[in-house]
Amino acid sequence: MTDPAARLRALTIGLHPRALDYSRFPDLDEEQLTARVDAANAALRDTEFDITPCLVSASPDEAENDLRAVLADRSFDLVMVGGAVRAVPEHTLLFERVVNLVAAAAPGIRFCFNTSPETTLDALRRAAAFA
């Protein structure tokens, strides 16, 4: 494992599995998504990143409050915004609020984006190349 002091600090922001409308994803349910997110977070623990996961509500106001609390407690080098936040049309306002809040609270932070919980590490490594 990498020395914790030398690890890049990364915030991962994803839609909480209970907040997703599964009618859009017939081959997925909350239990499956929760297991995938948990497995991805576990796999990130022994990497070159110091990860802080933040699962948010679909409500932009609630998500903003949760993110403000996380961003007030520590600084980050990277932020990964998950696909359910940014790629589901109903969450466009949520995505805008997340990006604008993080950009304002952490100038210079590097953004990256995954395509699934399993591609989070790849996304963080892409962003780290420029950090």
Side-chain angles (χ1 to χ4, degrees), residues 86-128:
R86 65 173 202 287
V88 177
E90 296 83 41
H91 299 154
T92 299
L93 178 59
L94 172 64
F95 179 52
E96 288 176 355
R97 298 265 296 267
V98 164
V99 168
N100 288 321
L101 173 62
V102 172
I109 196 167
R110 300 293 304 186
F111 282 83
C112 62
F113 308 100
N114 68 3
T115 56
S116 69
E118 295 81 9
T119 63
T120 299
L121 182 56
D122 292 335
L124 289 168
R125 286 181 172 153
R126 285 192 310 270

Side-chain angles (χ1 to χ4, degrees), residues 30-70:
E30 184 178 340
E31 184 178 331
Q32 292 170 321
L33 182 56
T34 298
R36 289 173 62 192
V37 169
D38 289 347
N41 285 338
L44 291 169
R45 285 190 196 110
D46 293 325
T47 67
E48 63 271 32
F49 302 103
D50 177 9
I51 302 294
T52 299
C54 182
L55 295 175
V56 299
S57 163
S59 161
D61 290 336
E62 290 176 17
E64 187 172 324
N65 288 336
D66 291 343
L67 281 172
R68 282 186 190 285
V70 171

